[in-house]
Amino acid sequence: MKRNYLTISQVAQKLSLGASTLRKMCLNQAIPDAVKPGNQWLIPLDSLEKITLPNQSRGWELGKPRARGRTENTLEVPSMRNATTKIAHKIAVFNQAGGVGKTTFVRDFGYELSRRGKKTLIVDADPQGTLGVFMGMEPAIRPETDSFWHSVYSGNETQKPKVLPTGYENLFVGIANRDLKRGELELMDSEDKGRLRGFLRDIQTEFDFLIFDCPPSISEITVQILFAVDSLIIPVQTEAKAVVAFGEVQVEIAKAQKRRLNLDLPKLQVLGVVPTMYKGQTIISQHHLRETHELCEAFGYPPLPAIRDFTKVSAAGTYRVPLMVHDRNCPANRDMEQVVDQLFPPCPQQTSKM
């Protein structure tokens, strides 16, 4: 009977492990039937469920022992009893510039995925807590322990990151608040760049999508997210300053890719660039949209459909609801549907239900 084999990188991505550690396990014959016919190890797919990992802290695969919490922990590997085990798509909505529509995009992108039956968690990574506000969570008046990030920066390995229901089917939110500023300093002191990645192992099999709304800066939280996710979506406002700043986004992505390469982590995939706040009736906005498409071609990134700018889009934030809930007839909803269709085309059965 023919066996299917995976490379070290493929197994590392499936199990959210470090490739260097997997190589050491292969050398020590800790992985059943691993073979090395050439320059790389190959691991049988049906052997994944038999892998037993040594006791390590959650930060182990990045070479940094956890500075807080338990000194020893048996890493829980997602069950691989069949090849269809669900592990969430982990996506960062990333642009270090502020005011480009990241939070609005995450809110409506997450809602559209949930509307299609995908269990989705949207996570705020900005101490201002805007995503939580947009979802009616009022993070400023909630206790610190309600924050998604509390267990991460405190190093409490006995507690999963806090996930809150939004009241919408399949849609959940992880909020942030002002305490994240202090928590970020704690993360910096720990020097554990893989801490968030470790904590996501506890929840990544519970969702179809984990979507992070990155802060408008390159901070410790941003670095943690870029180590933890698998892919990026880049919102770019169709304004002159935002298009010019797009080159800086590419610089930061290149830095993140280099850090991941040094730590044997799979390369981040850029799913696409989404033009935001597009005013299609103005010549200047049309010009900046063309510029954005030219930059996408230069960097090899897929351009996504533009999200048009309407008063209703910002009004939805005021009313603390997704745009589709606030006004399902707003044309920007159609734009978001097209974005999701391009990224994750619905199967025929899903199309017939919608």
Side-chain angles (χ1 to χ4, degrees):
M1 178 176 162
K2 185 177 180 181
R3 303 180 77 179
N4 294 320
Y5 287 85
L6 301 176
T7 65
I8 289 285
S9 296
Q10 289 171 324
V11 175
Q13 188 166 13
K14 276 182 176 292
L15 301 183
S16 295
L17 302 179
S20 59
T21 299
L22 284 169
R23 290 192 190 96
K24 291 176 184 177
M25 292 175 70
C26 289
L27 288 169
N28 293 331
Q29 298 182 341
I31 298 180
D33 302 327
V35 296
K36 192 177 181 183
N39 294 325
Q40 64 175 336
W41 285 96
L42 298 176
I43 299 173
L45 180 61
D46 56 12
S47 291
L48 297 188
E49 64 181 38
K50 305 173 186 176
I51 295 177
T52 302
L53 298 176
N55 289 343
Q56 298 281 357
S57 72
R58 274 194 172 92
W60 65 283
E61 82 276 14
L62 299 185
K64 296 288 184 181
R66 181 173 291 281
R68 304 178 55 145
R70 291 178 297 182
T71 57
E72 208 171 54
N73 178 60
T74 302
L75 194 63
E76 293 184 15
V77 182
S79 172
M80 296 298 297
R81 294 193 180 280
N82 58 68
T84 61
T85 298
K86 178 178 73 174
I87 297 180
H89 293 278
K90 298 183 285 292
I91 302 170
V93 178
F94 172 72
N95 189 325
Q96 83 276 13
V100 299
K102 291 190 296 291
T103 302
T104 299
F105 177 84
V106 169
R107 177 196 68 193
D108 296 330
F109 182 58
Y111 182 80
E112 179 61 26
L113 289 169
S114 69
R115 200 170 69 89
R116 299 182 183 211
K118 301 300 181 183
K119 191 176 180 183
T120 302
L121 171 62
I122 53 177
V123 180
D124 195 352
D126 189 342
Q128 296 180 80
T130 307
L131 180 61
V133 172
F134 279 5
M135 297 305 299
M137 296 290 117
E138 305 304 337
I141 62 175
R142 285 179 173 268
E144 181 181 4
T145 52
D146 274 0
S147 168
F148 175 90
W149 298 94
H150 180 259
S151 60
V152 179
Y153 63 70
S154 66
N156 185 358
E157 297 183 0
T158 63
Q159 185 178 37
K160 294 181 181 181
K162 189 68 173 285
V163 172
L164 302 174
T166 63
Y168 305 109
E169 188 177 5
N170 295 318
L171 184 60
F172 299 80
V173 65
I175 65 171
N177 54 32
R178 58 185 176 274
D179 295 306
L180 184 55
K181 291 182 179 180
R182 174 176 51 80
E184 190 164 25
L185 296 176
E186 294 187 39
L187 282 172
M188 291 175 69
D189 289 342
S190 76
E191 298 184 354
D192 183 358
K193 303 303 181 186
R195 184 176 289 190
L196 173 61
R197 186 178 178 89
F199 272 90
L200 292 188
R201 290 196 197 98
D202 291 337
I203 61 174
Q204 66 182 1
T205 57
E206 299 174 15
F207 294 92
D208 296 300
F209 289 91
L210 302 180
I211 304 168
F212 288 86
D213 178 18
C214 289
S217 62
I218 303 301
S219 63
E220 178 65 23
I221 293 297
T222 308
V223 172
Q224 289 277 337
I225 292 171
L226 295 182
F227 275 130
V229 300
D230 308 313
S231 52
L232 304 175
I233 294 175
I234 308 169
V236 177
Q237 184 183 6
T238 49
E239 295 278 347
K241 63 178 182 179
V243 174
V244 170
F246 186 79
E248 297 178 17
V249 177
Q250 170 59 19
V251 170
E252 295 302 330
I253 292 174
K255 290 179 181 177
Q257 300 286 32
K258 185 176 181 180
R259 293 189 200 106
R260 290 174 66 96
L261 179 64
N262 291 339
L263 297 166
D264 287 323
L265 294 177
K267 189 175 181 181
L268 284 169
Q269 179 185 6
V270 178
L271 297 178
V273 175
V274 55
T276 59
M277 306 182 196
Y278 177 56
K279 301 177 178 66
Q281 69 276 18
T282 67
I283 293 175
I284 192 67
S285 196
Q286 294 171 15
H287 169 74
H288 292 314
L289 180 64
R290 288 194 296 272
E291 281 189 322
T292 303
H293 286 169
E294 289 169 2
L295 287 168
C296 287
E297 184 175 356
F299 291 123
Y301 298 154
L304 296 170
I307 307 294
R308 288 171 286 177
D309 189 29
F310 292 94
T311 303
K312 295 285 189 180
V313 177
S314 56
T318 302
Y319 287 99
R320 312 292 202 258
V321 294
L323 176 61
M324 179 68 78
V325 175
H326 177 59
D327 182 359
R328 66 181 303 106
N329 295 318
C330 179
N333 288 314
R334 309 288 86 76
D335 301 337
M336 184 59 71
E337 289 173 351
Q338 291 176 25
V339 168
V340 176
D341 284 343
Q342 181 171 325
L343 289 173
F344 309 105
C347 66
Q349 291 178 337
Q350 289 176 314
T351 305
S352 63
K353 292 179 182 179
M354 294 175 59

